[in-house]
Amino acid sequence: MILQYAEALCARRLVLASASPRRREILGNLGLKFDVVVSKFDENLDKSQFVGGADYAQATATHKAMEVATRMEKEERLPFMVIGADTVVEAPDGSIMEKPKDAAEALRMLLSLQGITHQVHTGVGVVFPDASQPGKRLIKSFSETTYVTFASLEEAEMLAYIKTGEPFDKAGGYGIQGPAGAFVSSLTGCYFNVMGFPVHKFANIVSDMIKDGTIKL
């Protein structure tokens, strides 16, 4: 996978276009060194124009990475790779949940998820700027989906969780790596995808791009 290329990648400038501490942790666990440049892209794409949450997250992630890549094009040391990511929760009725704006919305989200299986989608957009041709770039995007089942929950549990403040920076109003992990009765797919970054799929895709010569270290 990507581990045999980690040293060579660390010699290049990698950029994570996200403020998420969870994404920093997951990407750092691969042994990669990278700068964090938070994207200024307004996450306001029209959800009705997408087939589902996976496509929406993939498009948003790509726009995040492109915004940062464009902003950094005039820097002396151009990034080799800019990585954007976006995570959403999709309920069985097809509604797409991002981060709750307040406690009432967080409660509504948790109530709608309790006792059922929902989908967590993370989209990833990776931009490779071309130093020899300003403005030209290679873009690779993909998404990963994990199925998460919540146990039936008491409202008091949900209110206690909301009181911790944890739901407000997490899609769907919960973080699986925190206290809300106790809500999860089963999971099918990538755990790290629910945290915010599908590390296995990312590692495979970048590794394949190196092997087939799509990108050169």
Side-chain angles (χ1 to χ4, degrees), residues 37 46 76 107:
V37 179
D46 183 354
E76 186 175 339
L107 180 59

Side-chain angles (χ1 to χ4, degrees), residues 22-23 26 87-89 118-122 144-150 170-171 174-177 184 186-199:
R22 290 150 318 262
R23 292 186 183 123
I26 295 168
T87 301
V88 300
V89 169
H118 59 275
Q119 299 175 68
V120 179
H121 310 288
T122 295
E144 181 72 293
T145 298
T146 303
Y147 292 83
V148 180
T149 302
F150 270 18
K170 296 174 178 66
Y174 76 93
I176 194 169
Q177 71 280 4
V184 178
S186 66
L187 178 150
T188 302
C190 176
Y191 171 86
F192 294 103
N193 187 55
V194 185
M195 280 183 66
F197 197 77
V199 63

Side-chain angles (χ1 to χ4, degrees), residues 136-188:
K136 186 178 179 181
R137 56 189 64 162
L138 171 67
I139 300 171
K140 181 71 175 180
S141 64
F142 60 90
S143 65
E144 181 72 293
T145 298
T146 303
Y147 292 83
V148 180
T149 302
F150 270 18
S152 295
L153 305 173
E154 296 179 7
E155 188 167 322
E157 291 179 273
M158 292 181 270
L159 290 172
Y161 177 61
I162 293 168
K163 196 173 180 179
T164 68
E166 193 176 67
F168 301 113
D169 68 339
K170 296 174 178 66
Y174 76 93
I176 194 169
Q177 71 280 4
F183 299 165
V184 178
S185 59
S186 66
L187 178 150
T188 302

Side-chain angles (χ1 to χ4, degrees), residues 12 22 48-49 56 71 94 126 133 152 163 168-169 213:
R12 310 297 291 269
R22 290 150 318 262
S48 68
Q49 299 302 306
Y56 171 78
R71 217 178 340 136
V126 188
Q133 301 182 63
S152 295
K163 196 173 180 179
F168 301 113
D169 68 339

Side-chain angles (χ1 to χ4, degrees), residues 45-74:
L45 298 178
D46 183 354
K47 295 182 180 68
S48 68
Q49 299 302 306
F50 297 89
V51 175
D55 288 341
Y56 171 78
Q58 184 172 327
T60 300
T62 303
H63 279 290
K64 287 180 177 180
M66 288 174 63
E67 187 281 324
V68 170
T70 299
R71 217 178 340 136
M72 300 184 75
E73 275 182 348
K74 295 181 180 179

Side-chain angles (χ1 to χ4, degrees), residues 25-106:
E25 177 188 356
I26 295 168
L27 201 56
N29 285 342
L30 286 175
L32 301 179
K33 296 178 182 177
F34 50 89
D35 297 327
V36 174
V37 179
V38 180
S39 176
K40 296 179 181 179
F41 173 71
D42 290 328
E43 298 179 34
N44 56 3
L45 298 178
D46 183 354
K47 295 182 180 68
S48 68
Q49 299 302 306
F50 297 89
V51 175
D55 288 341
Y56 171 78
Q58 184 172 327
T60 300
T62 303
H63 279 290
K64 287 180 177 180
M66 288 174 63
E67 187 281 324
V68 170
T70 299
R71 217 178 340 136
M72 300 184 75
E73 275 182 348
K74 295 181 180 179
E75 293 197 8
E76 186 175 339
R77 191 181 177 208
L78 192 69
F80 172 71
M81 178 194 303
V82 180
I83 305 160
D86 187 65
T87 301
V88 300
V89 169
E90 185 171 355
D93 65 1
S95 59
I96 298 172
M97 303 178 190
E98 297 184 271
K99 300 169 185 174
K101 297 179 180 66
D102 52 36
E105 187 175 18

